[in-house]
mmCIF file of all heavy atoms in Angstrom:
data_model
loop_
_atom_site.group_PDB
_atom_site.id
_atom_site.type_symbol
_atom_site.label_atom_id
_atom_site.label_comp_id
_atom_site.label_asym_id
_atom_site.label_seq_id
_atom_site.Cartn_x
_atom_site.Cartn_y
_atom_site.Cartn_z
ATOM 1 N N GLN W 1025 2.503 -6.217 2.200
ATOM 2 C CA GLN W 1025 2.704 -5.120 3.144
ATOM 3 C C GLN W 1025 4.059 -4.473 2.878
ATOM 4 O O GLN W 1025 5.027 -5.167 2.570
ATOM 5 C CB GLN W 1025 2.694 -5.641 4.588
ATOM 6 C CG GLN W 1025 1.449 -6.355 4.991
ATOM 7 C CD GLN W 1025 1.580 -6.982 6.379
ATOM 8 O OE1 GLN W 1025 2.660 -7.076 6.943
ATOM 9 N NE2 GLN W 1025 0.462 -7.425 6.921
ATOM 10 N N PRO W 1026 4.142 -3.141 3.005
ATOM 11 C CA PRO W 1026 5.456 -2.503 2.871
ATOM 12 C C PRO W 1026 6.371 -2.946 4.007
ATOM 13 O O PRO W 1026 5.925 -3.195 5.120
ATOM 14 C CB PRO W 1026 5.146 -1.011 2.957
ATOM 15 C CG PRO W 1026 3.758 -0.886 3.457
ATOM 16 C CD PRO W 1026 3.078 -2.201 3.297
ATOM 17 N N ALA W 1027 7.652 -3.085 3.690
ATOM 18 C CA ALA W 1027 8.660 -3.425 4.685
ATOM 19 C C ALA W 1027 9.817 -2.441 4.528
ATOM 20 O O ALA W 1027 9.856 -1.670 3.574
ATOM 21 C CB ALA W 1027 9.136 -4.863 4.498
ATOM 22 N N ASN W 1028 10.766 -2.478 5.434
ATOM 23 C CA ASN W 1028 11.873 -1.520 5.427
ATOM 24 C C ASN W 1028 12.586 -1.425 4.081
ATOM 25 O O ASN W 1028 12.848 -0.344 3.587
ATOM 26 C CB ASN W 1028 12.886 -1.867 6.516
ATOM 27 C CG ASN W 1028 12.315 -1.646 7.899
ATOM 28 O OD1 ASN W 1028 11.393 -0.879 8.077
ATOM 29 N ND2 ASN W 1028 12.873 -2.337 8.870
ATOM 30 N N SER W 1029 12.946 -2.543 3.486
ATOM 31 C CA SER W 1029 13.715 -2.502 2.241
ATOM 32 C C SER W 1029 13.005 -3.226 1.102
ATOM 33 O O SER W 1029 13.639 -3.736 0.202
ATOM 34 C CB SER W 1029 15.093 -3.119 2.459
ATOM 35 O OG SER W 1029 14.944 -4.475 2.841
ATOM 36 N N GLY W 1030 11.678 -3.290 1.147
ATOM 37 C CA GLY W 1030 10.943 -3.974 0.088
ATOM 38 C C GLY W 1030 9.509 -4.249 0.492
ATOM 39 O O GLY W 1030 8.785 -3.357 0.896
ATOM 40 N N LEU W 1031 9.139 -5.513 0.409
ATOM 41 C CA LEU W 1031 7.783 -5.937 0.726
ATOM 42 C C LEU W 1031 7.798 -7.151 1.641
ATOM 43 O O LEU W 1031 8.730 -7.941 1.619
ATOM 44 C CB LEU W 1031 7.032 -6.344 -0.540
ATOM 45 C CG LEU W 1031 6.666 -5.279 -1.542
ATOM 46 C CD1 LEU W 1031 6.063 -5.926 -2.776
ATOM 47 C CD2 LEU W 1031 5.693 -4.287 -0.937
ATOM 48 N N GLU W 1032 6.729 -7.296 2.381
ATOM 49 C CA GLU W 1032 6.493 -8.533 3.127
ATOM 50 C C GLU W 1032 5.274 -9.190 2.513
ATOM 51 O O GLU W 1032 4.236 -8.554 2.326
ATOM 52 C CB GLU W 1032 6.266 -8.259 4.608
ATOM 53 C CG GLU W 1032 6.104 -9.538 5.402
ATOM 54 C CD GLU W 1032 6.007 -9.311 6.891
ATOM 55 O OE1 GLU W 1032 5.920 -8.161 7.330
ATOM 56 O OE2 GLU W 1032 6.010 -10.322 7.624
ATOM 57 N N ILE W 1033 5.433 -10.456 2.167
ATOM 58 C CA ILE W 1033 4.335 -11.244 1.619
ATOM 59 C C ILE W 1033 3.821 -12.111 2.759
ATOM 60 O O ILE W 1033 4.583 -12.845 3.384
ATOM 61 C CB ILE W 1033 4.813 -12.120 0.445
ATOM 62 C CG1 ILE W 1033 5.398 -11.230 -0.643
ATOM 63 C CG2 ILE W 1033 3.683 -12.985 -0.071
ATOM 64 C CD1 ILE W 1033 6.131 -11.988 -1.720
ATOM 65 N N VAL W 1034 2.532 -12.012 3.036
ATOM 66 C CA VAL W 1034 1.937 -12.716 4.176
ATOM 67 C C VAL W 1034 0.861 -13.668 3.663
ATOM 68 O O VAL W 1034 0.019 -13.280 2.842
ATOM 69 C CB VAL W 1034 1.313 -11.716 5.183
ATOM 70 C CG1 VAL W 1034 0.721 -12.453 6.372
ATOM 71 C CG2 VAL W 1034 2.339 -10.686 5.624
ATOM 72 N N TRP W 1035 0.892 -14.910 4.140
ATOM 73 C CA TRP W 1035 -0.116 -15.920 3.792
ATOM 74 C C TRP W 1035 -0.789 -16.347 5.093
ATOM 75 O O TRP W 1035 -0.126 -16.792 6.026
ATOM 76 C CB TRP W 1035 0.540 -17.121 3.119
ATOM 77 C CG TRP W 1035 -0.437 -18.153 2.687
ATOM 78 C CD1 TRP W 1035 -0.812 -19.267 3.383
ATOM 79 C CD2 TRP W 1035 -1.190 -18.164 1.485
ATOM 80 N NE1 TRP W 1035 -1.742 -19.972 2.677
ATOM 81 C CE2 TRP W 1035 -1.996 -19.323 1.502
ATOM 82 C CE3 TRP W 1035 -1.270 -17.312 0.384
ATOM 83 C CZ2 TRP W 1035 -2.866 -19.644 0.456
ATOM 84 C CZ3 TRP W 1035 -2.127 -17.645 -0.651
ATOM 85 C CH2 TRP W 1035 -2.906 -18.792 -0.610
ATOM 86 N N ILE W 1036 -2.110 -16.196 5.144
ATOM 87 C CA ILE W 1036 -2.872 -16.552 6.341
ATOM 88 C C ILE W 1036 -3.932 -17.578 5.953
ATOM 89 O O ILE W 1036 -4.643 -17.400 4.961
ATOM 90 C CB ILE W 1036 -3.565 -15.316 6.950
ATOM 91 C CG1 ILE W 1036 -2.542 -14.234 7.264
ATOM 92 C CG2 ILE W 1036 -4.376 -15.702 8.196
ATOM 93 C CD1 ILE W 1036 -3.146 -12.872 7.530
ATOM 94 N N THR W 1037 -4.024 -18.637 6.703
ATOM 95 C CA THR W 1037 -5.107 -19.604 6.554
ATOM 96 C C THR W 1037 -5.843 -19.645 7.887
ATOM 97 O O THR W 1037 -5.223 -19.839 8.930
ATOM 98 C CB THR W 1037 -4.574 -21.007 6.202
ATOM 99 O OG1 THR W 1037 -3.870 -20.932 4.957
ATOM 100 C CG2 THR W 1037 -5.698 -22.012 6.084
ATOM 101 N N ASP W 1038 -7.144 -19.432 7.810
ATOM 102 C CA ASP W 1038 -7.928 -19.471 9.049
ATOM 103 C C ASP W 1038 -9.295 -20.059 8.789
ATOM 104 O O ASP W 1038 -9.708 -20.251 7.650
ATOM 105 C CB ASP W 1038 -8.023 -18.089 9.707
ATOM 106 C CG ASP W 1038 -8.733 -17.051 8.851
ATOM 107 O OD1 ASP W 1038 -8.893 -17.269 7.635
ATOM 108 O OD2 ASP W 1038 -9.129 -16.017 9.395
ATOM 109 N N SER W 1039 -9.967 -20.380 9.868
ATOM 110 C CA SER W 1039 -11.307 -20.954 9.775
ATOM 111 C C SER W 1039 -12.328 -19.829 9.666
ATOM 112 O O SER W 1039 -12.157 -18.752 10.240
ATOM 113 C CB SER W 1039 -11.602 -21.826 10.987
ATOM 114 O OG SER W 1039 -11.426 -21.086 12.176
ATOM 115 N N LEU W 1040 -13.380 -20.082 8.904
ATOM 116 C CA LEU W 1040 -14.477 -19.124 8.798
ATOM 117 C C LEU W 1040 -15.313 -19.168 10.075
ATOM 118 O O LEU W 1040 -15.331 -20.185 10.791
ATOM 119 C CB LEU W 1040 -15.333 -19.437 7.573
ATOM 120 C CG LEU W 1040 -14.615 -19.228 6.230
ATOM 121 C CD1 LEU W 1040 -15.458 -19.763 5.089
ATOM 122 C CD2 LEU W 1040 -14.299 -17.763 6.021
ATOM 123 N N PRO W 1041 -15.998 -18.079 10.380
ATOM 124 C CA PRO W 1041 -16.744 -18.008 11.642
ATOM 125 C C PRO W 1041 -17.726 -19.159 11.867
ATOM 126 O O PRO W 1041 -17.877 -19.630 12.988
ATOM 127 C CB PRO W 1041 -17.478 -16.675 11.534
ATOM 128 C CG PRO W 1041 -16.643 -15.855 10.617
ATOM 129 C CD PRO W 1041 -16.052 -16.827 9.631
ATOM 130 N N ASP W 1042 -18.383 -19.648 10.816
ATOM 131 C CA ASP W 1042 -19.388 -20.701 10.977
ATOM 132 C C ASP W 1042 -18.805 -22.099 11.153
ATOM 133 O O ASP W 1042 -19.534 -23.046 11.390
ATOM 134 C CB ASP W 1042 -20.333 -20.720 9.771
ATOM 135 C CG ASP W 1042 -21.192 -19.477 9.686
ATOM 136 O OD1 ASP W 1042 -21.257 -18.727 10.687
ATOM 137 O OD2 ASP W 1042 -21.804 -19.253 8.629
ATOM 138 N N SER W 1043 -17.488 -22.234 11.041
ATOM 139 C CA SER W 1043 -16.880 -23.568 11.070
ATOM 140 C C SER W 1043 -16.801 -24.163 12.465
ATOM 141 O O SER W 1043 -16.781 -25.365 12.625
ATOM 142 C CB SER W 1043 -15.478 -23.532 10.469
ATOM 143 O OG SER W 1043 -14.589 -22.874 11.357
ATOM 144 N N GLY W 1044 -16.682 -23.321 13.475
ATOM 145 C CA GLY W 1044 -16.517 -23.806 14.833
ATOM 146 C C GLY W 1044 -15.117 -24.318 15.124
ATOM 147 O O GLY W 1044 -14.825 -24.751 16.226
ATOM 148 N N ALA W 1045 -14.221 -24.287 14.125
ATOM 149 C CA ALA W 1045 -12.873 -24.835 14.301
ATOM 150 C C ALA W 1045 -11.949 -23.879 15.054
ATOM 151 O O ALA W 1045 -11.156 -24.299 15.880
ATOM 152 C CB ALA W 1045 -12.268 -25.183 12.948
ATOM 153 N N GLY W 1046 -12.000 -22.604 14.757
ATOM 154 C CA GLY W 1046 -11.212 -21.604 15.478
ATOM 155 C C GLY W 1046 -9.714 -21.745 15.348
ATOM 156 O O GLY W 1046 -9.014 -21.843 16.338
ATOM 157 N N PHE W 1047 -9.174 -21.769 14.129
ATOM 158 C CA PHE W 1047 -7.726 -21.844 13.982
ATOM 159 C C PHE W 1047 -7.226 -20.752 13.040
ATOM 160 O O PHE W 1047 -7.968 -20.219 12.235
ATOM 161 C CB PHE W 1047 -7.275 -23.217 13.466
ATOM 162 C CG PHE W 1047 -7.655 -23.475 12.035
ATOM 163 C CD1 PHE W 1047 -6.823 -23.084 11.000
ATOM 164 C CD2 PHE W 1047 -8.843 -24.124 11.722
ATOM 165 C CE1 PHE W 1047 -7.175 -23.316 9.679
ATOM 166 C CE2 PHE W 1047 -9.196 -24.359 10.406
ATOM 167 C CZ PHE W 1047 -8.365 -23.963 9.385
ATOM 168 N N GLU W 1048 -5.935 -20.427 13.149
ATOM 169 C CA GLU W 1048 -5.277 -19.491 12.243
ATOM 170 C C GLU W 1048 -3.820 -19.886 12.118
ATOM 171 O O GLU W 1048 -3.157 -20.166 13.113
ATOM 172 C CB GLU W 1048 -5.377 -18.055 12.728
ATOM 173 C CG GLU W 1048 -4.652 -17.078 11.797
ATOM 174 C CD GLU W 1048 -4.798 -15.627 12.208
ATOM 175 O OE1 GLU W 1048 -5.947 -15.168 12.357
ATOM 176 O OE2 GLU W 1048 -3.761 -14.966 12.382
ATOM 177 N N SER W 1049 -3.323 -19.904 10.886
ATOM 178 C CA SER W 1049 -1.919 -20.149 10.595
ATOM 179 C C SER W 1049 -1.425 -18.965 9.773
ATOM 180 O O SER W 1049 -2.072 -18.563 8.815
ATOM 181 C CB SER W 1049 -1.772 -21.443 9.800
ATOM 182 O OG SER W 1049 -0.442 -21.598 9.362
ATOM 183 N N ARG W 1050 -0.276 -18.424 10.142
ATOM 184 C CA ARG W 1050 0.257 -17.234 9.475
ATOM 185 C C ARG W 1050 1.735 -17.452 9.141
ATOM 186 O O ARG W 1050 2.522 -17.829 10.003
ATOM 187 C CB ARG W 1050 0.092 -16.027 10.391
ATOM 188 C CG ARG W 1050 0.601 -14.738 9.827
ATOM 189 C CD ARG W 1050 0.434 -13.629 10.869
ATOM 190 N NE ARG W 1050 0.938 -12.386 10.389
ATOM 191 C CZ ARG W 1050 0.200 -11.395 9.901
ATOM 192 N NH1 ARG W 1050 -1.104 -11.528 9.852
ATOM 193 N NH2 ARG W 1050 0.743 -10.291 9.471
ATOM 194 N N SER W 1051 2.086 -17.201 7.871
ATOM 195 C CA SER W 1051 3.475 -17.279 7.416
ATOM 196 C C SER W 1051 3.786 -16.017 6.649
ATOM 197 O O SER W 1051 2.906 -15.418 6.043
ATOM 198 C CB SER W 1051 3.683 -18.480 6.485
ATOM 199 O OG SER W 1051 3.382 -19.671 7.149
ATOM 200 N N SER W 1052 5.060 -15.607 6.672
ATOM 201 C CA SER W 1052 5.430 -14.415 5.914
ATOM 202 C C SER W 1052 6.843 -14.553 5.379
ATOM 203 O O SER W 1052 7.646 -15.352 5.877
ATOM 204 C CB SER W 1052 5.314 -13.162 6.769
ATOM 205 O OG SER W 1052 6.248 -13.179 7.817
ATOM 206 N N MET W 1053 7.123 -13.750 4.348
ATOM 207 C CA MET W 1053 8.433 -13.737 3.734
ATOM 208 C C MET W 1053 8.704 -12.316 3.268
ATOM 209 O O MET W 1053 7.873 -11.705 2.604
ATOM 210 C CB MET W 1053 8.457 -14.679 2.531
ATOM 211 C CG MET W 1053 9.780 -14.736 1.824
ATOM 212 S SD MET W 1053 9.810 -16.004 0.520
ATOM 213 C CE MET W 1053 8.993 -15.138 -0.794
ATOM 214 N N SER W 1054 9.852 -11.781 3.634
ATOM 215 C CA SER W 1054 10.241 -10.445 3.176
ATOM 216 C C SER W 1054 11.034 -10.581 1.888
ATOM 217 O O SER W 1054 11.865 -11.482 1.748
ATOM 218 C CB SER W 1054 11.102 -9.745 4.227
ATOM 219 O OG SER W 1054 10.327 -9.489 5.373
ATOM 220 N N ILE W 1055 10.770 -9.679 0.942
ATOM 221 C CA ILE W 1055 11.526 -9.648 -0.301
ATOM 222 C C ILE W 1055 12.029 -8.222 -0.542
ATOM 223 O O ILE W 1055 11.437 -7.261 -0.069
ATOM 224 C CB ILE W 1055 10.709 -10.150 -1.515
ATOM 225 C CG1 ILE W 1055 9.493 -9.249 -1.778
ATOM 226 C CG2 ILE W 1055 10.284 -11.592 -1.317
ATOM 227 C CD1 ILE W 1055 8.770 -9.578 -3.070
ATOM 228 N N THR W 1056 13.122 -8.116 -1.269
ATOM 229 C CA THR W 1056 13.699 -6.806 -1.565
ATOM 230 C C THR W 1056 12.900 -6.125 -2.678
ATOM 231 O O THR W 1056 12.078 -6.761 -3.357
ATOM 232 C CB THR W 1056 15.156 -6.947 -2.033
ATOM 233 O OG1 THR W 1056 15.163 -7.665 -3.277
ATOM 234 C CG2 THR W 1056 16.003 -7.668 -1.004
ATOM 235 N N GLU W 1057 13.170 -4.832 -2.885
ATOM 236 C CA GLU W 1057 12.530 -4.115 -3.983
ATOM 237 C C GLU W 1057 12.898 -4.753 -5.319
ATOM 238 O O GLU W 1057 12.058 -4.858 -6.219
ATOM 239 C CB GLU W 1057 12.925 -2.646 -3.960
ATOM 240 C CG GLU W 1057 12.321 -1.882 -2.803
ATOM 241 C CD GLU W 1057 12.751 -0.430 -2.758
ATOM 242 O OE1 GLU W 1057 13.376 0.061 -3.719
ATOM 243 O OE2 GLU W 1057 12.456 0.222 -1.741
ATOM 244 N N SER W 1058 14.128 -5.196 -5.465
ATOM 245 C CA SER W 1058 14.564 -5.863 -6.692
ATOM 246 C C SER W 1058 13.776 -7.157 -6.913
ATOM 247 O O SER W 1058 13.335 -7.449 -8.027
ATOM 248 C CB SER W 1058 16.060 -6.165 -6.608
ATOM 249 O OG SER W 1058 16.481 -6.874 -7.744
ATOM 250 N N ASP W 1059 13.597 -7.944 -5.846
ATOM 251 C CA ASP W 1059 12.796 -9.168 -5.942
ATOM 252 C C ASP W 1059 11.348 -8.846 -6.313
ATOM 253 O O ASP W 1059 10.717 -9.566 -7.087
ATOM 254 C CB ASP W 1059 12.813 -9.940 -4.622
ATOM 255 C CG ASP W 1059 14.149 -10.589 -4.330
ATOM 256 O OD1 ASP W 1059 14.901 -10.873 -5.282
ATOM 257 O OD2 ASP W 1059 14.440 -10.805 -3.140
ATOM 258 N N ALA W 1060 10.810 -7.762 -5.757
ATOM 259 C CA ALA W 1060 9.435 -7.364 -6.064
ATOM 260 C C ALA W 1060 9.295 -7.018 -7.542
ATOM 261 O O ALA W 1060 8.320 -7.406 -8.193
ATOM 262 C CB ALA W 1060 9.012 -6.188 -5.189
ATOM 263 N N ARG W 1061 10.288 -6.289 -8.090
ATOM 264 C CA ARG W 1061 10.246 -5.955 -9.515
ATOM 265 C C ARG W 1061 10.332 -7.223 -10.369
ATOM 266 O O ARG W 1061 9.642 -7.350 -11.385
ATOM 267 C CB ARG W 1061 11.364 -4.974 -9.864
ATOM 268 C CG ARG W 1061 11.051 -3.554 -9.417
ATOM 269 C CD ARG W 1061 12.031 -2.549 -10.001
ATOM 270 N NE ARG W 1061 13.309 -2.514 -9.307
ATOM 271 C CZ ARG W 1061 13.515 -1.915 -8.131
ATOM 272 N NH1 ARG W 1061 12.521 -1.330 -7.515
ATOM 273 N NH2 ARG W 1061 14.710 -1.919 -7.587
ATOM 274 N N GLN W 1062 11.157 -8.187 -9.948
ATOM 275 C CA GLN W 1062 11.244 -9.458 -10.677
ATOM 276 C C GLN W 1062 9.923 -10.212 -10.585
ATOM 277 O O GLN W 1062 9.480 -10.831 -11.556
ATOM 278 C CB GLN W 1062 12.383 -10.327 -10.133
ATOM 279 C CG GLN W 1062 12.513 -11.667 -10.844
ATOM 280 C CD GLN W 1062 12.789 -11.520 -12.325
ATOM 281 O OE1 GLN W 1062 13.684 -10.792 -12.729
ATOM 282 N NE2 GLN W 1062 12.027 -12.203 -13.149
ATOM 283 N N MET W 1063 9.279 -10.164 -9.445
ATOM 284 C CA MET W 1063 7.985 -10.822 -9.284
ATOM 285 C C MET W 1063 6.948 -10.210 -10.232
ATOM 286 O O MET W 1063 6.167 -10.932 -10.856
ATOM 287 C CB MET W 1063 7.499 -10.708 -7.839
ATOM 288 C CG MET W 1063 6.184 -11.430 -7.582
ATOM 289 S SD MET W 1063 5.620 -11.259 -5.883
ATOM 290 C CE MET W 1063 6.771 -12.338 -5.063
ATOM 291 N N ILE W 1064 6.960 -8.882 -10.355
ATOM 292 C CA ILE W 1064 6.032 -8.204 -11.266
ATOM 293 C C ILE W 1064 6.276 -8.665 -12.699
ATOM 294 O O ILE W 1064 5.330 -8.984 -13.435
ATOM 295 C CB ILE W 1064 6.166 -6.673 -11.140
ATOM 296 C CG1 ILE W 1064 5.643 -6.216 -9.783
ATOM 297 C CG2 ILE W 1064 5.434 -5.961 -12.284
ATOM 298 C CD1 ILE W 1064 6.028 -4.790 -9.427
ATOM 299 N N ARG W 1065 7.546 -8.704 -13.121
ATOM 300 C CA ARG W 1065 7.868 -9.172 -14.466
ATOM 301 C C ARG W 1065 7.417 -10.611 -14.683
ATOM 302 O O ARG W 1065 6.860 -10.953 -15.727
ATOM 303 C CB ARG W 1065 9.368 -9.041 -14.737
ATOM 304 C CG ARG W 1065 9.834 -7.603 -14.933
ATOM 305 C CD ARG W 1065 11.270 -7.529 -15.437
ATOM 306 N NE ARG W 1065 12.250 -8.086 -14.520
ATOM 307 C CZ ARG W 1065 12.842 -7.398 -13.542
ATOM 308 N NH1 ARG W 1065 12.555 -6.122 -13.341
ATOM 309 N NH2 ARG W 1065 13.738 -7.987 -12.774
ATOM 310 N N THR W 1066 7.646 -11.455 -13.697
ATOM 311 C CA THR W 1066 7.244 -12.859 -13.803
ATOM 312 C C THR W 1066 5.734 -13.000 -13.911
ATOM 313 O O THR W 1066 5.224 -13.755 -14.746
ATOM 314 C CB THR W 1066 7.775 -13.658 -12.605
ATOM 315 O OG1 THR W 1066 9.205 -13.538 -12.556
ATOM 316 C CG2 THR W 1066 7.372 -15.122 -12.673
ATOM 317 N N LEU W 1067 5.002 -12.272 -13.067
ATOM 318 C CA LEU W 1067 3.542 -12.319 -13.135
ATOM 319 C C LEU W 1067 3.037 -11.848 -14.495
ATOM 320 O O LEU W 1067 2.127 -12.440 -15.068
ATOM 321 C CB LEU W 1067 2.931 -11.484 -12.018
ATOM 322 C CG LEU W 1067 3.060 -12.055 -10.616
ATOM 323 C CD1 LEU W 1067 2.633 -11.001 -9.581
ATOM 324 C CD2 LEU W 1067 2.234 -13.316 -10.473
ATOM 325 N N GLN W 1068 3.643 -10.781 -15.019
ATOM 326 C CA GLN W 1068 3.238 -10.270 -16.331
ATOM 327 C C GLN W 1068 3.459 -11.325 -17.410
ATOM 328 O O GLN W 1068 2.595 -11.535 -18.262
ATOM 329 C CB GLN W 1068 4.015 -8.988 -16.671
ATOM 330 C CG GLN W 1068 3.518 -8.311 -17.917
ATOM 331 C CD GLN W 1068 2.105 -7.809 -17.789
ATOM 332 O OE1 GLN W 1068 1.722 -7.266 -16.755
ATOM 333 N NE2 GLN W 1068 1.326 -7.989 -18.821
ATOM 334 N N GLN W 1069 4.604 -12.008 -17.383
ATOM 335 C CA GLN W 1069 4.877 -13.054 -18.362
ATOM 336 C C GLN W 1069 3.873 -14.187 -18.243
ATOM 337 O O GLN W 1069 3.383 -14.717 -19.254
ATOM 338 C CB GLN W 1069 6.287 -13.599 -18.181
ATOM 339 C CG GLN W 1069 7.368 -12.630 -18.590
ATOM 340 C CD GLN W 1069 8.758 -13.127 -18.213
ATOM 341 O OE1 GLN W 1069 8.910 -14.147 -17.544
ATOM 342 N NE2 GLN W 1069 9.782 -12.390 -18.630
ATOM 343 N N LEU W 1070 3.546 -14.577 -17.031
ATOM 344 C CA LEU W 1070 2.586 -15.664 -16.830
ATOM 345 C C LEU W 1070 1.188 -15.303 -17.322
ATOM 346 O O LEU W 1070 0.486 -16.117 -17.887
ATOM 347 C CB LEU W 1070 2.545 -16.067 -15.355
ATOM 348 C CG LEU W 1070 3.799 -16.744 -14.816
ATOM 349 C CD1 LEU W 1070 3.727 -16.871 -13.303
ATOM 350 C CD2 LEU W 1070 4.009 -18.094 -15.465
ATOM 351 N N VAL W 1071 0.801 -14.060 -17.117
ATOM 352 C CA VAL W 1071 -0.515 -13.600 -17.547
ATOM 353 C C VAL W 1071 -0.595 -13.530 -19.073
ATOM 354 O O VAL W 1071 -1.617 -13.860 -19.672
ATOM 355 C CB VAL W 1071 -0.837 -12.227 -16.918
ATOM 356 C CG1 VAL W 1071 -2.060 -11.601 -17.561
ATOM 357 C CG2 VAL W 1071 -1.040 -12.371 -15.425
ATOM 358 N N GLU W 1072 0.503 -13.123 -19.701
ATOM 359 C CA GLU W 1072 0.516 -12.978 -21.155
ATOM 360 C C GLU W 1072 0.586 -14.306 -21.891
ATOM 361 O O GLU W 1072 0.217 -14.389 -23.049
ATOM 362 C CB GLU W 1072 1.683 -12.090 -21.578
ATOM 363 C CG GLU W 1072 1.494 -10.645 -21.150
ATOM 364 C CD GLU W 1072 2.708 -9.772 -21.413
ATOM 365 O OE1 GLU W 1072 3.759 -10.306 -21.838
ATOM 366 O OE2 GLU W 1072 2.596 -8.560 -21.168
#
């Protein structure tokens, strides 16, 4: 998600409708534009 000075990375774990469990856990971390560019470079290296 876009954030004021970069991006917010959000991780959500939840139960599927058929499970009957009914839970949700949500965590997030904001990163700067510079961190986002470094993440892109890192992902590219890992893929290659």
Side-chain angles (χ1 to χ4, degrees):
Q1025 302 173 348
N1028 292 337
S1029 61
L1031 291 174
E1032 183 175 8
I1033 301 169
V1034 181
W1035 183 265
I1036 303 165
T1037 299
D1038 62 344
S1039 56
L1040 293 171
D1042 293 346
S1043 72
F1047 70 88
E1048 178 177 305
S1049 172
R1050 180 183 178 101
S1051 300
S1052 66
M1053 180 174 81
S1054 294
I1055 63 172
T1056 65
E1057 290 178 10
S1058 177
D1059 289 335
R1061 283 191 281 283
Q1062 179 60 50
M1063 183 181 287
I1064 291 166
R1065 288 190 297 272
T1066 302
L1067 289 170
Q1068 188 64 41
Q1069 289 172 354
L1070 292 170
V1071 169
E1072 291 173 354

